[in-house]
Structure formats: C-alpha cells, structure tokens
C-alpha cells in the first residue's frame, strides 16, 4: 500500500497523522489532499500543499443535502484538469447541522470537522437566553465544544452589570465557557485566541453579533467585511455571505459564517439534553419515568421550579426545544410518528377520564 506524504504545508489547516491515514487509499489513486475553505454554487476553493485551487463538486453532490461538500471538509482533489474535480471527502469527525426553513425540513450542514463552536452574542442588545440555548443545543449535537463569547463588552462598562449578564448566560449554558470580548479595546481576545488555537473553530450567531469584527481581531487584519448594525434594533446586514475558513496567526483555523436568522434543530436530542443537564438530572428523581413535568405527583422538576431552584423560563425553553426536535425527527422516522400518535391518544384518554370523573363528583 502506498504511504501518504506528510504535506507539512497543510499542518496549519489541521492536517495530522489521522487524516493522513484516512487519505491513504486516495493517495494510491494519485489524488491530492486539501481542506475546503469555501463553497459556492457547486464549486469550492481547496487549500492544498501547492496552494489554493478551484474545484468542481459534481462527483460528490448526492441527493442527501447532509452529504454535500462543505467548508471544513478534507477533500481528495484531482492533481490537474480543467475543470478540476473533488473526487471524495474524508469521513467527518464532527458536523454542524441545522434544519432548513423549508417545509420539507431538510438538514443543512454548515461546517465540518469543527473542534470549538464559538457562539457570538452581542451585549449591544438585550440578551435572548432562549436563542443562546438553541445555538448551544446544535453546537453540542455537532460534537464540538461550545464557547459563548459576549461581544461588544465595551458597551457595558459597569463591572457589576456585566457580571450579572455573564451569570445569566452561565446559568443557561452549563459546562460551557462564557467569555466577554471587545474588538474595540482588545478585552478577552487573548483568552479566546488561546482557546481556539488548538483546532478548528466556527463562529456562529445572528447578524449584528460582531462575528466578522471578532474574526478580524483574531486574524490580526481586516479580512472580513464589517458594517455597522442598525440603530433601531441592533441587527446586522449580513456582511458575511459565505462560510470561509482562515488560518489564524496564533495557530488553529477559523470558519466565519453568515448571520443565522433561523436556527432550527435537526435531530439534536442529545444536544438539548446537554444544554439542560440539570433538568435531565432532576427528571431522574421523578416518580414516573415518563413524567411530563406538568402536574404529575412526585415530579422533582416541578418541585425544583416551585422552590426557586430551577427557573420556570428554563423549563419552558427545554419543553419547546424538545417538542421542536421531536417534530423534526418524526418527519423522517415512521416508528416515532406512530409512538407520538399513540402518546397523544393515551393523553387524550386520560384527559377524558379525568373530565368524566370530575363530572361524576359534581353530580
């Protein structure tokens, strides 16, 4: 079997021995390894040991939208040709997937082989904790380690107020580092740069969250276009329109993404469980294993809400994300759809029996 060359020029983009081993069969075919740094309309830019090349993805564009070539993939590229083609991509270590806004509810892959998912949240507007929890559910499900970065920290100069904001986010993000950063005065950038220096990080967040400004600060140069947010609502103007992978000067690579208006879950049950780990731990102490945490006797979750240990908002957010995820999964899982219908009928029968019993007591 032909051994794969080391390709040290690819090391800054994350190439390692494990990737080299996975590429061995393609090296035997005379193909070249490279990392996809940008995808645009059926073509992609791939950084190879000899430089960045433009390649067509027609050979690896199946009907399944989750298996298309995406930013962050390691690809097997033809050594030449006009056009040049990507022949395959290596099995992904992680994949960040969301549900599309279409009625078909297809999954859309945003980035691959990501180690850190950096969720950028602007302090210029009121915190939306439920949206942060949604981003974190997708991040955990991807297999990456989430990090929340509260950007534009210079707009909240009062230390006490800023501490309270950080604490609110930490309560909604168990097990997730929460950093404050400002591209204006450089606060927190060294900590974030050190955190993402050991792998691939993807920047996520709404338009206006300061992702491109943060990316430029980490890169040490104005690579990404930046525009001011609207004064009326603090929303951005989609300055980033494609996902771009860039090598960081301090080590590691960064994928900047367009602002995400819709962040739909896609089979993210495990991610939801990690975001709301304290609720799942409480649920293990409920009297009934299928407790809905509504009015059942012996519900440890409801007891925690009533005692003030668990915020009601957290429970409502947990329920909402679970319901949404269940709907998405049910659209592609016939057995789950049948189980949901069975559960609806069971709850309907229980409600009917309760009403009849109540009427009987009133007679």
């Amino acid at each position: 079997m032909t051994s794969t060359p080391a390709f040290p020029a690819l090391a800054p983009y994350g190439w390692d021995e494990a990737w080299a081993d996975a590429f061995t069969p393609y090296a035997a075919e005379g193909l070249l390894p490279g990392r996809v740094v940008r995808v645009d309309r059926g073509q992609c830019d791939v950084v190879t040991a000899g430089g960045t090349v433009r390649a067509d993805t027609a050979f690896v564009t199946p009907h399944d939208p989750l298996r298309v070539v995406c930013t962050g993939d390691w690809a097997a590229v033809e050594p030449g040709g006009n056009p040049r083609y990507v022949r395959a991509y290596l099995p992904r270590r992680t994949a960040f997937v969301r549900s599309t806004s279409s009625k078909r509810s297809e999954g859309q892959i945003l980035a691959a082989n990501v180690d850190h998912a950096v969720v950028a949240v602007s302090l210029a507007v009121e915190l939306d904790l439920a949206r942060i929890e949604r981003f974190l559910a997708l991040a955990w499900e991807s297999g990456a380690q989430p990090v929340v970065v509260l950007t534009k920290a210079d707009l909240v100069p009062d230390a006490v107020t800023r501490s309270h904001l950080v604490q609110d986010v930490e309560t909604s993000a168990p097990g997730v580092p929460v950093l404050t950063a400002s591209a204006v005065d450089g606060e927190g950038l060294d900590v974030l740069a050190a955190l993402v220096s050991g792998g691939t990080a993807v920047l996520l967040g709404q338009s206006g969250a300061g992702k491109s400004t943060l990316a430029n600060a980490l890169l040490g140069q104005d690579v990404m276009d930046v525009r001011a947010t609207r004064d009326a609502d603090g929303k951005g103007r989609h300055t980033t329109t494609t996902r771009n992978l860039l090598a960081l000067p301090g080590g590691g690579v960064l994928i900047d993404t367009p602002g995400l208006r819709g962040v739909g879950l896609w089979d993210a049950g495990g991610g939801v469980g990690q975001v709301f780990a304290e609720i799942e731990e409480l649920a293990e102490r409920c009297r009934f294993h299928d407790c809905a945490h509504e009015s059942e006797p012996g519900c440890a979750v409801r007891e925690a809400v009533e005692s003030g240990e668990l915020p009601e908002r957290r429970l409502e957010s947990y329920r909402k994300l679970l319901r949404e995820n269940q709907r998405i999964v049910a659209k592609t899982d016939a057995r789950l759809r049948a189980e949901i219908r069975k559960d609806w009928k069971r709850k309907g029968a229980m409600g009917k029996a309760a009403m009849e019993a109540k009427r009987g007591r009133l007679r």
Side-chain angles (χ1 to χ4, degrees):
M1 184 178 291
T2 305
S3 61
T4 305
F7 296 113
L10 293 178
Y13 292 90
W15 184 257
D16 57 27
E17 291 184 6
W19 288 122
D21 288 343
F23 193 79
T24 299
Y26 302 106
E29 298 176 18
L31 300 174
L32 300 176
R35 192 154 197 198
V36 178
V37 297
R38 184 173 180 269
V39 178
D40 181 27
R41 298 177 183 176
Q43 292 192 314
C44 62
D45 294 334
V46 185
V47 61
T48 69
T52 302
V53 300
R54 188 74 166 165
D56 197 298
T57 64
F59 278 99
V60 282
T61 305
H63 294 298
D64 183 352
L66 297 181
R67 298 177 63 188
V68 300
V69 173
C70 77
T71 304
D73 273 327
W74 282 100
V77 187
E78 292 177 341
N82 187 19
R84 185 189 303 243
Y85 288 97
V86 172
R87 289 289 177 173
Y89 61 82
L90 301 184
R92 294 161 177 158
R93 294 177 182 175
T94 62
F96 194 95
V97 180
R98 69 165 176 174
S99 174
T100 64
S101 57
S102 68
K103 293 181 179 179
R104 291 180 294 177
S105 297
E106 294 177 335
Q108 178 190 22
I109 184 161
L110 299 179
N113 303 312
V114 172
D115 301 294
H116 294 96
V118 180
V119 180
V121 180
S122 173
L123 288 179
V125 294
E126 185 177 352
L127 288 177
D128 186 341
L129 297 177
R131 179 168 286 272
I132 294 173
E133 289 162 348
R134 178 180 291 272
F135 270 111
L136 292 176
L138 290 175
W140 280 121
E141 191 67 32
S142 76
Q145 166 65 52
V147 182
V148 176
V149 178
L150 302 179
T151 65
K152 307 182 184 182
D154 54 286
L155 298 180
V156 187
D158 182 68
V160 175
T161 301
R162 192 187 302 183
S163 176
H164 286 156
L165 292 171
V166 170
Q167 188 175 18
D168 286 343
V169 176
E170 287 177 337
T171 301
S172 301
V176 176
V178 179
L179 312 176
T180 56
S182 169
V184 173
D185 57 24
E187 178 194 339
L189 295 180
D190 55 343
V191 177
L192 179 60
L195 192 149
V196 302
S197 64
T200 298
V202 62
L203 266 175
L204 305 164
Q206 290 182 282
S207 296
K211 298 187 305 302
S212 294
T213 302
L214 195 60
N216 286 338
L218 291 171
L219 290 162
Q221 55 183 314
D222 290 340
V223 175
M224 310 306 297
D225 185 24
V226 176
R227 299 179 194 171
T229 57
R230 297 195 299 252
D231 292 336
D233 54 13
K235 292 183 179 179
R237 295 179 170 85
H238 285 288
T239 56
T240 302
T241 57
T242 59
R243 287 172 280 280
N244 302 278
L245 184 149
L246 302 157
L248 295 171
V253 294
L254 181 71
I255 300 175
D256 191 18
T257 65
L260 300 176
R261 289 193 182 95
V263 195
L265 300 185
W266 178 260
D267 197 5
V272 173
Q274 284 183 277
V275 175
F276 299 94
E278 81 278 27
I279 296 179
E280 301 232 324
E281 289 176 8
L282 286 167
E284 293 179 359
R285 303 206 300 267
C286 290
R287 182 182 301 178
F288 304 109
H289 70 89
D290 60 347
C291 183
H293 318 308
E294 293 176 349
S295 58
E296 297 88 342
C299 175
V301 174
R302 289 304 316 173
E303 290 174 4
V305 171
E306 290 163 8
S307 69
E309 177 187 351
L310 176 69
E312 180 79 38
R313 187 207 64 79
R314 283 279 286 171
L315 178 57
E316 288 304 313
S317 182
Y318 173 66
R319 285 172 173 159
K320 180 179 180 180
L321 293 183
L322 278 184
R323 287 194 300 267
E324 177 183 328
N325 191 68
Q326 190 178 54
R327 285 196 301 270
I328 291 295
V329 175
K331 289 183 178 181
T332 57
D333 189 329
R335 186 177 67 177
L336 180 59
R337 286 198 300 271
E339 290 177 354
I340 291 173
R341 283 195 295 269
K342 183 178 178 180
D343 188 52
W344 284 344
K345 290 180 180 179
R346 180 181 64 83
K347 289 182 177 179
M350 290 174 61
K352 184 178 179 180
M355 286 298 295
E356 290 177 351
K358 184 176 180 180
R359 291 194 194 99
R361 289 195 299 270
L362 293 174
R363 288 174 184 167

